[in-house]
Amino acid sequence: MDENEDVLVSVGGPVDRGVGLLTLNRPKAINSLTHPMVGAISAALKAWENDDAVRAVVISGAGDRGLCAGGDVVAIYHDAKVGGAATRQFWWDEYVLDAYIGRYPKPYVALMNGITMGGGVGISAHGSVRVVTETTKMAMPEVGIGFIPDVGGTFILSRAPGLLGLHAAMTGAPFTGADAIAMGFADHFVPHDRLDAFTATILAEDIDAAVAAHAEEPPPSPLLAQREWIDHCYAGETVSDIVAALRGPAGNPGGTAAVDAADLIASRSPVAVSVALEAVRRAASLSTLEDVLRQEFRTSCGALRSHDLVEGIRALLIDKDRNPQWSPTSLAGVTKEDIDGYFVSADPDLSFE
């Protein structure tokens, strides 16, 4: 194991029935994914797939802040300004990896501790054993930078109970580990201070023993408790309809939480929020993760062609003025043609051959 690598790759446990260990190792950047990291994860998984001495895989993040905060969007900013070819290839390889994780033939255990957002969701939420803690802070926050939820996120969002997935996609707001379980992003709740013991039990015994010894009933899901007003407000046909419902009449059942959601949506890229709404709706009718990732590759490439992705990253992470100048500037300025343009062929479309 090379301690200088951004992904630490090793095998632990008994020699004849080991466990592949992947540790994202950029703690200062909350383990944000780079293109070489995607390649390293893919290579390790492929090697272990056909290694009879490896019975399972566990992926985690170095440091205490989180599994992975997402992709390296500052790199995307600079590349987009010169055409975006490297970013397009990064997404291609990342989404192919996400699909591979989704069909990986061996148990794939993801420790979704702390911040797990964007690309971090892609390398964890499609695994077969997904673990959250009381520190988990999950989100698909893409609309805040003029981007669209990706990495297979819309596959899960579109299948969440009621319209909780639309709420998460259109606000970009973080949600808890308990919410993640309720929405279909995770399976088990393990207290943060028992994660090391959880992994040790997998190494010494097996995954079932680890779950039995360390998993607990998750706390109540705050989002699930708000489903009534979320289902009501997000049933509108357009983003404007949804925002109007969230602001609602006096006595709106969502109260201040609904108004806060409306304010969040209003601060996001108008075109990105509009495309996110359409993307989640379309994902609901696509039958496989691969089909959804292919659609997401189209919307991602659409964002790469847009004004708002570069502007959103600039405002949040480059100049840090938090004052993006979106184009169009309002929801009223977003046309059906604008939205449909994000769903045209990426030419070539994503392939899993």
Side-chain angles (χ1 to χ4, degrees):
M1 182 172 71
D2 186 341
E3 293 294 337
N4 295 314
E5 292 298 322
D6 289 342
V7 180
L8 306 181
V9 180
S10 63
V11 177
V15 173
D16 59 338
R17 48 191 298 276
V19 175
L21 301 172
L22 293 169
T23 305
L24 307 186
N25 191 38
R26 297 182 68 213
K28 291 181 180 177
I30 320 180
N31 303 313
S32 293
L33 283 177
T34 64
H35 202 165
M37 290 169 72
V38 168
I41 295 167
S42 298
L45 291 178
K46 286 173 183 172
W48 290 333
E49 179 179 352
N50 299 309
D51 186 345
D52 291 339
V54 175
R55 57 186 160 89
V57 174
V58 176
I59 189 165
S60 62
D64 293 328
R65 296 171 69 193
L67 170 64
C68 175
D72 185 349
V73 294
V74 173
I76 291 172
Y77 170 85
H78 292 295
D79 181 61
K81 295 181 76 172
V82 294
T87 297
R88 184 184 168 108
Q89 188 61 55
F90 167 62
W91 286 333
W92 183 293
D93 293 340
E94 181 185 20
Y95 300 173
V96 167
L97 170 61
D98 297 334
Y100 181 41
I101 290 169
R103 62 175 189 274
Y104 199 64
K106 295 182 178 181
Y108 181 99
V109 182
L111 304 183
M112 304 157 90
N113 192 47
I115 292 172
T116 304
M117 298 184 180
V121 173
I123 57 163
S124 58
H126 306 304
S128 51
V129 182
R130 305 161 303 170
V131 176
V132 290
T133 75
E134 71 277 14
T135 73
T136 297
K137 188 176 183 180
M138 193 173 291
M140 297 300 296
E142 289 76 12
V143 291
I145 57 166
F147 195 44
I148 322 299
D150 66 336
V151 298
T154 62
F155 182 84
I156 302 173
L157 292 166
S158 68
R159 288 153 172 80
L163 299 179
L164 297 184
L166 278 182
H167 173 70
M170 295 172 64
T171 61
F175 48 92
T176 69
D179 291 328
I181 292 174
M183 293 174 69
F185 284 87
D187 307 298
H188 304 291
F189 183 90
V190 175
H192 168 76
D193 62 5
R194 284 161 64 180
L195 276 183
D196 288 346
F198 179 83
T199 303
T201 305
I202 294 175
L203 293 172
E205 300 179 53
D206 58 31
I207 294 167
D208 289 344
V211 170
H214 304 291
E216 295 183 355
E217 188 72 21
S221 160
L223 273 183
L224 205 56
Q226 300 174 77
R227 183 177 160 184
E228 183 177 355
W229 69 260
I230 288 173
D231 285 359
H232 170 74
C233 293
Y234 285 87
E237 183 177 344
T238 67
V239 179
S240 294
D241 293 338
I242 291 168
V243 170
L246 289 167
R247 298 211 186 279
N252 178 5
T256 57
V259 174
D260 289 346
D263 290 345
L264 261 181
I265 292 171
S267 74
R268 307 313 197 186
S269 157
V271 71
V273 171
S274 301
V275 175
L277 172 61
E278 180 69 12
V280 173
R281 287 175 171 168
R282 291 192 186 199
S285 65
L286 297 174
S287 59
T288 69
L289 175 59
E290 284 83 358
D291 288 340
V292 172
L293 284 162
R294 189 175 292 110
Q295 174 177 281
E296 290 175 347
F297 187 67
R298 291 179 173 187
T299 58
S300 294
C301 289
L304 195 58
R305 297 189 297 268
S306 77
H307 162 275
D308 279 9
L309 178 59
V310 167
E311 173 61 9
I313 299 172
R314 179 206 65 75
L316 185 66
L317 294 169
I318 305 298
D319 297 337
K320 300 182 181 179
D321 58 27
R322 295 185 176 271
N323 185 31
Q325 303 301 303
W326 303 123
S327 179
T329 58
S330 69
L331 291 170
V334 180
T335 66
K336 182 178 184 299
E337 289 72 27
D338 290 333
I339 297 169
D340 289 345
Y342 279 73
F343 293 90
V344 300
S345 170
D347 190 27
D349 279 330
L350 184 64
S351 168
F352 301 96
E353 299 299 321

